[in-house]
Amino acid sequence: MHFRRHCLSLLLLLAIELGFGQGMSSSKRAEQDSSCVDLSKPTTFSLKQISYVKIEQYPSMATVPNSTQLAFEVVNNANGISTGCSPQNVEVGGQWGDDSNYWYKCIDRSLVVSGDEHALSTSAHIIWDEWKLSVNQSWDCGSEIVVRHISTTTLTPSCQETRSAYQYIKDCTAPDLEAPATTQ
């Protein structure tokens, strides 16, 4: 049962990598008729398929490090680009990594506007104990013009905890949501 939950989490991450069943070319690029800068207006991020898992092995069975991971799909509704993110923190030597100021890199995508391709960079920051998630997406429009959308929201997960003689698992999902984003 525990192995099955862990496998389901890994399958979710694989689905994120593959674009949640969308064709790879359509999830990597989006054609826009407007100019690159027109896409800088405030927007929302659609956050979908939000899944969290925390696995702790008991010391006598510790074959892998304790870890916690959040996986989700994010769509910027200004440009229509869908990408996947999966921030992960691990415990090493009895200490969880201090990622309080760390932005996790999400899957790279590109945006095509009027025939010009622009690299799209997405990152995520999570404050694990507060379920506070921030998403930052930016792209360079040339001529030193960088468009950046950022959003912060608090997730409301429902969780299930399982304990055995060997491990502790906390498995959570959060409902899909629309998070307002600002331009910076």
Side-chain angles (χ1 to χ4, degrees):
M1 178 112 165
H2 305 293
F3 179 74
R4 188 177 78 183
R5 280 197 187 115
H6 186 67
C7 287
L8 288 174
S9 296
L10 292 175
L11 286 173
L12 176 61
L13 293 177
L14 179 60
I16 288 172
E17 287 286 333
L18 296 176
F20 285 91
Q22 301 173 6
M24 189 57 92
S25 60
S26 66
S27 65
K28 281 196 168 199
R29 298 176 181 218
E31 287 285 343
Q32 301 288 333
D33 292 329
S34 59
S35 78
C36 184
V37 180
D38 287 345
L39 299 172
S40 67
K41 297 174 185 160
T43 185
T44 59
F45 285 117
S46 296
L47 303 175
K48 304 174 183 181
Q49 305 289 325
I50 304 167
S51 179
Y52 167 91
V53 66
K54 180 177 187 175
I55 300 173
E56 294 180 352
Q57 306 288 330
Y58 294 130
S60 61
M61 299 303 293
T63 57
V64 296
N66 294 336
S67 66
T68 186
Q69 184 169 29
L70 181 72
F72 59 96
E73 176 188 13
V74 59
V75 178
N76 184 332
N77 292 310
N79 59 32
I81 299 291
S82 170
T83 192
C85 301
S86 57
Q88 182 177 24
N89 196 358
V90 295
E91 183 183 43
V92 178
Q95 295 289 323
W96 287 94
D98 179 11
D99 62 353
S100 58
N101 293 312
Y102 187 77
W103 285 83
Y104 292 91
K105 185 93 172 107
C106 301
I107 300 170
D108 288 333
R109 298 289 189 226
S110 61
L111 174 68
V112 177
V113 180
S114 301
D116 296 323
E117 188 170 336
H118 305 275
L120 191 84
S121 176
T122 307
S123 56
H125 176 262
I126 181 86
I127 301 175
W128 300 100
D129 295 338
E130 298 176 19
W131 293 100
K132 190 173 285 189
L133 173 64
S134 297
V135 174
N136 181 355
Q137 188 174 83
S138 61
W139 60 94
D140 188 341
C141 290
S143 302
E144 299 182 25
I145 299 172
V146 175
V147 177
R148 175 172 287 121
H149 292 166
I150 190 163
S151 177
T152 300
T153 191
T154 301
L155 303 175
T156 55
S158 58
C159 301
Q160 182 177 356
E161 296 182 6
T162 307
R163 296 180 190 275
S164 73
Y166 308 106
Q167 64 184 356
Y168 163 80
I169 297 174
K170 183 174 184 178
D171 190 16
C172 307
T173 58
D176 294 353
L177 61 97
E178 297 291 318
T182 59
T183 303
Q184 294 186 336

